[in-house]
Amino acid sequence: MELIFKLRLHIVIVGEIANFVAYMFAPAVLVTPLGALSIIVSAVLAHFMLKERLRQMGILGCLSCIVGSIVIVIHAPQEHTPSSVLEIWTLATEPAFLIYVAVTLSMVLVLIIYFEPHYGQTNILVYLGICSLMGSLTVMSIKAIGTAIKLTLEGISQAAYPQTWFFLLVAVICVITQLNYLNKALDTFNAAIVSPIYYVMFTTLTIIASAIMFKDWSGQNMNSIISEICGFITVLSGTIILHVTREEEPTTLPGIVQGTIIWYDGDRAKGLEDAHYITLHSPDFFQ
C-alpha cells in the first residue's frame, strides 16, 4: 500500500508539473477545459484495471469530452507571450481585471464569514464556490510565474522585478486556500458529486478570468468564439454525464462476520438476503 501511495503521489506531482508547463505555452482558455481528458483516462483505466464497469452513458460522456476538446483545440486563440513580468502586471492592474479581483475576493469573504458557518455542511456550493473563485486567481498567478520562468530560461531574468515575487506570494496563498476548502468539500460530500461541480465552476471562472486579464478572445471572429463556447459546453456535459453514470464501487454489507464479504451488482435486495443468510448460519451468531 505504501508503494502504491508513493507511486500515486509521484504521478500526481508529474501531472501538476506538466499542467504548470502547459500554462507557460498555451492560453488558459485552451489548457483548463482539456483537463477533462484526465477524467477520461482515469475512467478507462478504472474500467480495465479496477474492473469498474463503464456504462453506455459513460462512454457517451467520454466521447463528448473528446469531441468538445477537439473543437476547442481547433478554434483556440493564438498565445501571445508577454515580453516581461511588467507587461503581465500591466494586464493585471487594468480596471476590468481589478474589478474581477475585487468581486471575487468579496464573494470569497462573504462565503467564508457568513455562509460557511451556516450552510457549509449542507450546501456543496459554499466550499466549491470558495475553491473555484480562488482557483481562477491561482491560474492567473501561476501563468504569470510560468511566463517569468520561461523568460528567465531564455536569458531574460525576471527575478529582479518585485512583481514576480508578488505573483508567487498570491499563488501560494490561493493554492493553500483552495486546497483547504477542497479537502473540506471532499470530507463533507460525496466525491462523485464534488468532482463534476468543481470542474464546471473552476473551469468556467478560470476562462472568464483569463479572457478578462489576457484578452484571449481578442482578435478572434465571432464564429471561432461561438465554436469554443460550444466545445466547452460539450466538454462540461460529457464530464457531468461521465461522473453521474459512473458505477459506484461495491461495498460490504452490515452483518457479515468472520471476514466474509458479499458483493452485489444491481440487485440490492438479493445482496441483503444473502448477507442475512450467512449471518444466521455463522457459528458465532448464537454465541
Side-chain angles (χ1 to χ4, degrees):
M1 290 297 294
E2 183 179 356
L3 178 61
I4 295 176
F5 175 77
K6 290 182 178 179
L7 179 61
R8 181 181 178 183
L9 179 61
H10 291 160
I11 293 175
V12 171
I13 292 174
V14 171
E16 290 304 317
I17 292 175
N19 197 42
F20 176 79
V21 173
Y23 281 114
M24 295 170 57
F25 297 97
V29 69
L30 172 62
V31 176
T32 308
L34 292 183
L37 296 179
S38 63
I39 301 175
I40 299 176
V41 173
S42 64
V44 173
L45 290 178
H47 175 76
F48 289 104
M49 300 180 65
L50 302 179
K51 307 304 179 184
E52 295 182 5
R53 187 173 58 184
L54 190 60
R55 302 177 185 274
Q56 292 181 349
M57 291 300 294
I59 296 175
L60 176 61
C62 290
L63 292 177
S64 298
C65 291
I66 294 174
V67 171
S69 299
I70 292 175
V71 172
I72 292 174
V73 171
I74 292 175
H75 298 279
Q78 295 294 324
E79 171 73 349
H80 167 67
T81 303
S83 58
S84 69
V85 173
L86 294 179
E87 183 177 344
I88 300 178
W89 179 259
T90 301
L91 295 174
T93 53
E94 288 187 354
F97 188 70
L98 289 178
I99 292 174
Y100 175 82
V101 173
V103 172
T104 298
L105 295 180
S106 299
M107 294 177 65
V108 169
L109 288 176
V110 171
L111 288 172
I112 292 176
I113 295 174
Y114 177 75
F115 286 96
E116 182 189 359
H118 296 86
Y119 308 104
Q121 298 296 315
T122 57
N123 194 326
I124 193 174
L125 296 180
V126 175
Y127 289 143
L128 295 187
I130 298 172
C131 294
S132 302
L133 289 167
M134 296 302 291
S136 65
L137 299 181
T138 300
V139 172
M140 299 304 101
S141 302
I142 287 179
K143 187 166 180 63
I145 297 169
T147 303
I149 294 175
K150 178 183 177 183
L151 293 172
T152 300
L153 294 176
E154 292 176 352
I156 309 175
S157 178
Q158 304 294 306
Y161 296 117
Q163 288 86 347
T164 301
W165 303 105
F166 175 80
F167 283 126
L168 179 60
L169 177 63
V170 171
V172 171
I173 294 174
C174 290
V175 167
I176 292 175
T177 305
Q178 186 179 353
L179 292 178
N180 177 43
Y181 285 96
L182 181 58
N183 287 331
K184 288 186 178 182
L186 292 172
D187 289 340
T188 308
F189 303 97
N190 191 328
I193 301 176
V194 172
S195 297
I197 296 178
Y198 176 59
Y199 176 79
V200 170
M201 295 177 65
F202 168 72
T203 305
T204 303
L205 290 172
T206 298
I207 290 177
I208 293 174
S210 181
I212 294 174
M213 179 174 174
F214 292 100
K215 300 176 176 60
D216 293 326
W217 289 332
S218 177
Q220 281 194 296
N221 56 49
M222 186 57 63
N223 290 335
S224 296
I225 295 176
I226 293 175
S227 297
E228 288 178 46
I229 294 175
C230 291
F232 174 58
I233 294 174
T234 304
V235 170
L236 294 185
S237 302
T239 303
I240 294 173
I241 292 173
L242 186 59
H243 276 283
V244 169
T245 61
R246 196 167 181 177
E247 186 179 63
E248 295 184 358
E249 294 183 3
T251 54
T252 55
L253 295 171
I256 309 302
V257 296
Q258 293 185 338
T260 305
I261 299 177
I262 295 294
W263 302 100
Y264 64 95
D265 183 11
D267 191 349
R268 181 177 179 86
K270 186 178 184 304
L272 290 171
E273 180 181 349
D274 292 342
H276 182 64
Y277 175 83
I278 291 178
T279 302
L280 291 177
H281 290 77
S282 169
D284 297 333
F285 180 74
F286 295 101
Q287 294 180 2

